[in-house]
Amino acid sequence: MCGIVGYIGNREATPILLSGLKRLEYRGYDSAGLALLEDLQAAISSNGHSTQLLSAHQLVIEKCKGKVTDLEELSARNPHLSTIGIGHTRWATHGAPSDVNAHPHTDQSGKIAIIHNGIIENYSQIKKHLISRGHIFQTETDTEVLAHLIGEFFEQSHNLTEAVRLSLNEVVGAYGIAVISSENPDEIVVARKGSPLVIGVGNDNDYFVASDAAAIIAHTRQVIYLSDNEMATITRSGIKTRTISNVEITKTIEHIEMELEAIEKGGFDHFMLKEIYEQPRTITDAMRGRVVEEEGNVVLGGLENHLRELRRVNRILITACGTSFHAGLIGKYMIEQYARIPVDIEYASEFRYRNPIVGDDDVMFAISQSGETADTLAALREGKRKGALGLGIVNVVGSTIARESDGGVYIHAGPEIGVASTKAFTSQLTVFALITIMLGRMRHLSVVDGRAMIRELLALPDKVQQTIENTEQQVKQIAEIFKDATNFLYLGRGYNYPAALEGALKLKEISYIHAEGYPAAEMKHGPIALIDENMPVVFVAPHDDVYEKILSNIQEVRARKGHVIAIATEGDEQITELAEQVIFIPETIPMLTPILSVVPLQLLAYYMATARGCNVDQPRNLAKSVTVE
Ligand code: F6R
């Protein structure tokens, strides 16, 4: 996830671009940059009789690792006058956060600059082809490859729009881009596929570009939203829109009513809800470019150097905290079922001080959204010190755990701003499913079974979308009914026992209601004493291997007048006879059910908290990244 801004008009571009980037920075970016076309107004043409002042433009790039304020300082030290420019805040995907990897990137000639949100999946093939044609690359980014490709086409036509269009026809992946060229000082070319892009229409022959309207709302509320596979050429005298297959289209100008703060949350009341809604996309991003369906297998770039150890490993250790720990528990179940490797999992805070037994042949996964959690980092260091291969499953690119791991897998969920983790959890589970398939295929999992699992994985984003759409209103009503409860029990079995733990954690974090998660069968060993007519009990009971068993547990609660809310698989009529409230989720294989069942649990926590007037995005006493013990 990155931020894009652009400006063309009669005003000075730099302050407009910098203020736009600041509005996008709430997402927590790692580097930022600007590309400007400075009007030199000094090129002299002489034919011997007269001299003529020509307007010549120079492409100027200013970029650095760090925050927009760092870029602002850099820009103040080297001021450049320009009335056209593009700016970017980066969330690293290909290539670590650094000055050189920051956007904009330029083509081989140094005359074309591009900023890009998204991932170019086939960049390595294109790069190889361009290298064979003499191109030299400065960075590890996919974006620089696209810049060079555009430059290659530009050489042929000197038409920037056409060069961008032809390049995008070669590209597989997602993009929101803005491109300028010193040879075309009166235009910005923009395009989108899978990554948002909005054009702002100003009052004074000026136009704005942004990945999020928050960046330009201070200047105009008149906007044009590009759809996937559409592009636009923006000049000071107007906008021309077309598809990337070159069909001219007419777009309508829309008026934005929303307040700035609301737009920063993408129209959602809270970041948490926004992030719950993002999950179909973030799950897709976690899988992007990693599955080889034909081979029923998975390729994880960050583990490629450790395939030998992974093939030979006899024991896996998992360590994490909080929500990431719950993802790890499910990961243990997945790996043990399909790869048949014993997995031990332990809270990082326990592992680090317990003098755990770790051998040279062990492989350790440290799971962390932020990559900065102090206990998880210390546990990783302890495991590595004792000889384990230390791998990370991390969201924040370039974070300490990512840097200190011997290898690992980024979950690519984008910045998670809501303090209660939601999308990171489902992305962690998606990555565990990928690791499971990879480890399984090294052992006993057949190509046919691998393919079947991959098909189920690929179907998940749509199923998560359906789950959100089909359950949200019902969950809201359930929250109204139970908002004054003081205790909740969450019960599940097998893969959905950790989902129950996660549901309980979400509820306590943001609504401050005491909630306990338990393996459903453990209820009779103690918690059953708590059940009476005041106790709501959430059963996570999709159709899986332990479904029949959980029905008996539901009956035990009903017999004691507890209120049963069940998460069940669509079409399950048996459970509707037992539970007061049934929330249905689509069917999938047991291993993947937590990715669906957790969605209504996240929504339940969210709507319970809002019904109780709690501050969802800033729950008391909690911090997003726990960097202290
Ligand atoms: C719960 C939550 C926390 C984190 C925990 C670990 O909603 O966000 O429990 O999961 O602090 O954080 P990371 O994953 O950043 O190591």
Side-chain angles (χ1 to χ4, degrees):
M1 288 291 295
C2 312
I4 281 180
V5 287
Y7 173 74
I8 178 167
N10 301 310
R11 289 188 269 163
E12 213 195 312
T14 305
I16 295 172
L17 297 175
L18 287 171
S19 69
L21 291 179
K22 279 187 190 158
R23 292 224 169 81
L24 297 177
E25 212 188 17
Y26 69 100
R27 308 295 301 260
Y29 296 108
D30 53 52
S31 48
L34 300 177
L36 303 163
L37 294 180
E38 189 174 30
D39 189 348
L40 298 174
Q41 291 244 323
I44 307 291
S45 152
S46 171
N47 61 10
H49 304 289
S50 63
T51 49
Q52 198 186 352
L53 193 64
L54 289 180
S55 176
H57 288 80
Q58 168 179 294
L59 178 64
V60 177
I61 306 279
E62 290 172 340
K63 58 182 186 174
C64 59
K65 186 179 167 186
K67 301 207 176 300
V68 176
T69 47
D70 298 316
L71 177 65
E72 195 169 32
E73 281 167 24
L74 178 70
S75 173
R77 286 198 298 275
N78 311 289
H80 293 282
L81 280 182
S82 172
T83 53
I84 171 172
I86 53 180
H88 190 263
T89 56
R90 177 165 185 252
W91 176 256
T93 53
H94 294 79
S98 65
D99 290 355
V100 69
N101 285 340
H103 296 212
H105 290 288
T106 50
D107 75 325
Q108 181 84 351
S109 73
K111 290 180 179 169
I112 294 173
I114 177 174
I115 51 177
H116 166 224
N117 287 356
I119 300 171
I120 305 299
E121 288 166 25
N122 60 339
Y123 81 103
S124 52
Q125 289 105 294
I126 297 173
K127 192 170 183 174
K128 258 188 224 145
H129 167 73
L130 290 172
I131 288 171
S132 74
R133 292 183 53 79
H135 286 249
I136 297 165
F137 290 89
Q138 314 294 330
T139 77
E140 307 144 57
T141 65
D142 51 343
T143 304
E144 191 190 9
V145 175
L146 183 54
H148 278 237
L149 187 61
I150 293 170
E152 180 88 1
F153 280 112
F154 189 78
E155 282 296 298
Q156 292 156 24
S157 65
H158 289 263
N159 176 331
L160 189 61
T161 303
E162 193 57 3
V164 171
R165 197 185 71 73
L166 292 173
S167 302
L168 294 180
N169 278 295
E170 303 282 317
V171 149
V172 178
Y175 51 78
I177 56 167
V179 187
I180 56 174
S181 160
S182 57
E183 286 198 20
N184 300 50
D186 187 37
E187 66 187 35
I188 302 180
V189 179
V190 297
R192 93 156 253 181
K193 184 182 176 193
S195 197
L197 216 113
V198 59
I199 301 166
V201 181
N203 294 326
D204 195 20
N205 281 348
D206 54 1
Y207 297 91
F208 306 83
V209 174
S211 53
D212 181 334
I216 56 174
I217 195 79
H219 305 290
T220 180
R221 286 174 179 264
Q222 306 294 110
V223 299
I224 294 170
Y225 289 101
L226 283 194
S227 301
D228 277 353
N229 298 311
E230 290 178 355
M231 59 188 293
T233 308
I234 308 165
T235 66
R236 290 180 180 83
S237 48
I239 303 170
K240 285 209 172 88
T241 43
R242 70 190 75 223
T243 65
I244 66 159
S245 39
N246 213 13
V247 178
E248 286 193 14
I249 46 172
T250 309
K251 303 288 291 182
T252 45
I253 297 180
E254 297 178 38
H255 183 81
I256 302 178
E257 300 286 353
M258 281 179 273
E259 291 310 309
L260 187 59
E261 200 189 340
I263 292 171
E264 283 176 344
K265 288 173 187 150
F268 289 89
D269 288 343
H270 297 98
F271 285 114
M272 181 181 176
L273 188 60
K274 178 166 181 265
E275 287 159 7
I276 291 173
Y277 265 79
E278 279 175 357
Q279 291 176 110
R281 186 177 50 72
T282 49
I283 291 169
T284 305
D285 288 346
M287 293 188 277
R288 199 184 296 284
R290 290 172 166 175
V291 295
V292 190
E293 195 174 347
E294 182 56 26
E295 292 170 21
N297 208 353
V298 161
V299 177
L300 296 165
L303 300 184
E304 285 288 286
N305 289 338
H306 303 290
L307 296 182
R308 224 162 69 94
E309 291 103 313
L310 290 169
R311 210 166 271 126
R312 288 196 317 214
V313 64
N314 287 322
R315 184 174 77 132
I316 289 176
L317 304 168
I318 295 178
T319 192
C321 304
T323 290
S324 297
F325 178 82
H326 298 154
L329 259 181
I330 296 169
K332 166 187 164 78
Y333 286 21
M334 290 179 181
I335 293 170
E336 290 196 342
Q337 179 172 5
Y338 289 102
R340 307 303 296 158
I341 305 166
V343 180
D344 289 340
I345 173 161
E346 190 162 5
Y347 283 114
S349 52
E350 289 298 310
F351 184 91
R352 64 182 293 193
Y353 288 120
R354 204 179 49 79
N355 194 14
I357 299 167
V358 182
D360 279 355
D361 295 333
D362 290 338
V363 169
M364 179 174 193
F365 283 102
I367 314 160
S368 177
Q369 186 285 128
S370 61
E372 302 294 347
T373 300
D375 283 327
T376 312
L377 178 60
L380 172 73
R381 287 176 179 158
E382 185 67 9
K384 284 181 65 177
R385 189 177 299 119
K386 292 193 151 95
L389 175 72
L391 303 174
I393 298 180
V394 173
N395 191 30
V396 179
V397 176
S399 56
T400 313
I401 292 177
R403 279 186 277 115
E404 292 203 14
S405 301
D406 297 314
V409 187
Y410 280 121
I411 64 170
H412 290 318
E416 192 180 61
I417 297 163
V419 167
S421 185
T422 52
K423 61 177 182 170
F425 180 69
T426 47
S427 294
Q428 287 164 341
L429 294 185
T430 306
V431 163
F432 263 119
L434 296 176
I435 291 171
T436 299
I437 294 170
M438 188 191 77
L439 293 174
R441 293 285 291 119
M442 288 172 172
R443 294 172 174 77
H444 314 291
L445 195 69
S446 70
V447 62
V448 176
D449 290 342
R451 272 188 210 145
M453 288 162 80
I454 285 173
R455 276 197 296 275
E456 287 292 339
L457 260 175
L458 294 174
L460 272 181
D462 284 347
K463 290 182 184 178
V464 171
Q465 184 66 41
Q466 278 170 41
T467 307
I468 296 169
E469 285 167 12
N470 297 346
T471 65
E472 187 176 12
Q473 285 315 312
Q474 184 193 5
V475 169
K476 208 168 170 177
Q477 285 161 12
I478 294 172
E480 271 305 315
I481 299 170
F482 293 105
K483 67 174 191 276
D484 297 320
T486 47
N487 293 290
F488 258 76
L489 263 183
Y490 284 71
L491 303 175
R493 301 182 76 129
Y495 284 112
N496 284 287
Y497 150 53
L501 295 180
E502 177 60 7
L505 177 64
K506 289 286 90 86
L507 189 72
K508 41 188 158 196
E509 275 184 297
I510 57 168
S511 75
Y512 318 136
I513 296 173
H514 171 243
E516 297 266 2
Y518 258 93
E522 275 294 300
M523 182 180 64
K524 59 185 172 295
H525 299 289
I528 198 163
L530 296 169
I531 293 170
D532 62 13
E533 65 280 9
N534 296 317
M535 178 66 93
V537 184
V538 179
F539 277 94
V540 193
H543 234 289
D544 59 15
D545 309 335
V546 283
Y547 171 73
E548 295 296 334
K549 300 280 172 205
I550 211 164
L551 288 184
S552 330
N553 302 133
I554 295 178
Q555 267 153 344
E556 286 157 12
V557 170
R558 291 295 284 159
R560 286 156 186 86
K561 299 196 170 54
H563 300 285
V564 174
I565 302 160
I567 315 282
T569 305
E570 276 164 5
D572 180 349
E573 285 170 13
Q574 213 176 345
I575 212 159
T576 43
E577 288 161 21
L578 293 175
E580 264 167 66
Q581 310 279 348
V582 184
I583 301 165
F584 287 112
I585 56 171
E587 182 154 23
T588 183
I589 53 174
M591 152 177 130
L592 301 180
T593 52
I595 297 180
L596 299 178
S597 66
V598 79
V599 173
L601 301 180
Q602 296 167 343
L603 288 168
L604 183 62
Y606 175 79
Y607 282 111
M608 290 287 287
T610 51
R612 290 160 66 90
C614 301
N615 184 341
V616 173
D617 281 333
Q618 281 147 9
R620 67 185 181 207
N621 306 338
L622 295 175
K624 184 67 192 154
S625 180
V626 187
T627 51
V628 290
E629 263 194 72

